[in-house]
Amino acid sequence: MKPPPFEYFRASNPEEAVAALGAHGGNAKLIAGGQSLMPMLNFRLLEPELLIDISKIASLKRIEKGSSGRWVIGAGVRHRDILVSEVLGNSYPILRAAMTHVAHVAIRNRGTIGGSLAHGDPAAEWPMLALLLDAEIEVLGRSGQRMIEAKDFFLGALHTSLSEDEIILAIHLPPAPVAWGFFETARRAGDFALAGAGVLLETQNGKISEARIALLGLGETPIRVYDAEAKLEGENLNSTNRAAAMEAAKAACQPMTDLHASAEFRVHLAGIMTGRSLDAAWGQAIC
Ligand SMILES: Cc1cc2nc3c(=O)[nH]c(=O)nc-3n(C[C@H](O)[C@H](O)[C@H](O)COP(=O)(O)OP(=O)(O)OC[C@H]3O[C@@H](n4cnc5c(N)ncnc54)[C@H](O)[C@@H]3O)c2cc1C
């Protein structure tokens, strides 16, 4: 299928992109890597009159450490850039692990973080990672710049709190526990996951001092399993609290049945993926 006709404008900075978005009042779309937008145009799910190309905006490609110790990753950074970034690999090794599950090499070479966050697919890796890492998303619109916490950003499937005239500038990552686990199940390598879980653990004196668990593909948005996190803190990982965390993950998700898997199977996977990710993170934490 071919896309509907559209006008094309290449923005040279975020301000130009915002002005063009504002001038078209909902009839314009930003295009970054095009890996989600072009299929939507080809299927005529969207028919914008203008595409605003932001792929050449240099300020969107930064990866830098801010003065507060937070890493700032520009919206135009591609999935592949994360895979090969040594500094991010050291501070957030889960990012590199998760990126290997994003689609295929050709898509990872073009697809961007900003595109993934703005697209807001609950089965995608970046929305789950943003929630797991307590990220903040920096956006610019006609009314100025604002920061949106990841927990307030994803409102539903393909639905975020971005306004029509806003562009994502960057994702800000605070320091996070380094011990990680990440597992997902897909029918074929490169497909969107049926279900997945990411875990981060920090330990002190052999006990869990901080636990984070997030799920993907298991509801309308990515999900944090706050109940289970609180119960793990102050303890070793053992068969009792591991089983309780798996049950909490299953209870937290609300997946749909579709052509690929039933809701029941996805709930089952939520438990399994959580258990495996906990094991992996705990194994690293106590080494
Ligand atoms: C076959 C296939 C398999 C895939 N599998 C996976 C997978 O397993 N996991 C996964 O996570 N992803 C997967 N993807 C999606 C891929 O990761 C995309 O790259 C990503 O979702 C969108 O990034 P993009 O840069 O291509 O965005 P685009 O397609 O250019 O844009 C997507 C949306 O985001 C908006 N947008 C883009 N940039 C910004 C910005 N800076 N600010 C505000 N809005 C913006 C656009 O207007 C559009 O609405 C797959 C895609 C395909 C085609």
Side-chain angles (χ1 to χ4, degrees):
M1 299 240 333
K2 290 189 177 140
F6 53 81
E7 296 294 317
Y8 174 86
F9 168 64
R10 177 174 284 171
S12 51
N13 56 55
E15 291 75 16
E16 269 187 17
V18 168
L21 282 173
H24 284 78
N27 285 318
K29 291 297 282 181
L30 301 174
I31 181 161
Q35 300 303 298
S36 295
L37 185 64
M38 288 315 296
M40 292 190 82
L41 297 187
N42 290 346
F43 284 116
R44 309 288 166 122
L45 296 171
L46 293 171
E47 298 199 17
E49 59 191 38
L50 175 70
L51 289 192
I52 304 161
D53 185 349
I54 57 171
S55 65
K56 302 289 184 225
I57 300 179
S59 64
L60 299 183
K61 297 180 193 291
R62 63 197 159 129
I63 297 179
E64 61 194 26
K65 196 167 191 177
S67 51
S68 58
R70 292 160 30 128
W71 280 93
V72 181
I73 309 176
V77 170
R78 300 164 306 160
H79 309 312
R80 180 183 183 279
D81 300 325
I82 302 293
L83 266 174
V84 299
S85 166
E86 200 168 318
V87 284
L88 290 178
N90 290 337
S91 299
Y92 309 98
I94 193 169
L95 291 183
R96 192 179 278 173
M99 286 307 103
T100 63
H101 293 272
V102 176
H104 308 280
V105 172
I107 293 166
R108 293 198 290 265
N109 282 347
R110 295 202 63 87
T112 63
I113 297 173
S116 289
L117 295 172
H119 191 55
D121 189 324
E125 282 76 11
W126 268 111
M128 184 282 282
L129 291 165
L131 193 63
L132 182 72
L133 291 163
D134 288 336
E136 284 193 296
I137 295 157
E138 181 187 355
V139 308
L140 178 71
R142 278 182 299 176
S143 52
Q145 210 155 324
R146 63 182 179 125
M147 301 291 280
I148 309 172
E149 289 184 37
K151 67 180 171 53
D152 301 323
F153 188 79
F154 303 104
L155 302 181
L158 310 188
H159 179 35
T160 71
S161 57
L162 275 180
S163 302
E164 273 174 7
D165 67 344
E166 283 182 323
I167 178 175
I168 299 175
L169 298 179
I171 181 170
H172 292 236
L173 302 180
V178 175
W180 63 276
F182 178 85
F183 281 89
E184 66 172 52
T185 299
R187 290 178 73 96
R188 300 171 306 186
D191 282 1
F192 276 102
L194 299 177
V199 167
L200 296 175
L201 292 181
E202 187 83 64
T203 53
Q204 268 178 12
N205 305 322
K207 307 272 188 208
I208 296 169
S209 55
E210 183 177 357
R212 299 189 201 172
I213 304 173
L215 307 174
L216 63 90
L218 289 158
E220 295 275 298
T221 63
I223 297 164
R224 268 292 279 272
V225 193
Y226 293 110
D227 276 359
E229 296 177 3
K231 287 181 188 142
L232 287 165
E233 286 167 14
E235 301 197 10
N236 297 316
L237 185 69
N238 56 49
S239 56
T240 307
N241 59 25
R242 180 184 185 277
M246 289 170 64
E247 286 308 312
K250 288 162 72 175
C253 58
Q254 294 178 322
M256 306 269 286
T257 294
D258 63 18
L259 283 176
H260 305 293
S262 67
E264 291 74 18
F265 183 53
R266 283 192 158 100
V267 169
H268 170 73
L269 288 177
I272 303 290
M273 298 297 108
T274 300
R276 287 184 189 168
S277 296
L278 274 169
D279 292 341
W282 176 247
Q284 290 171 26
I286 57 172
C287 273

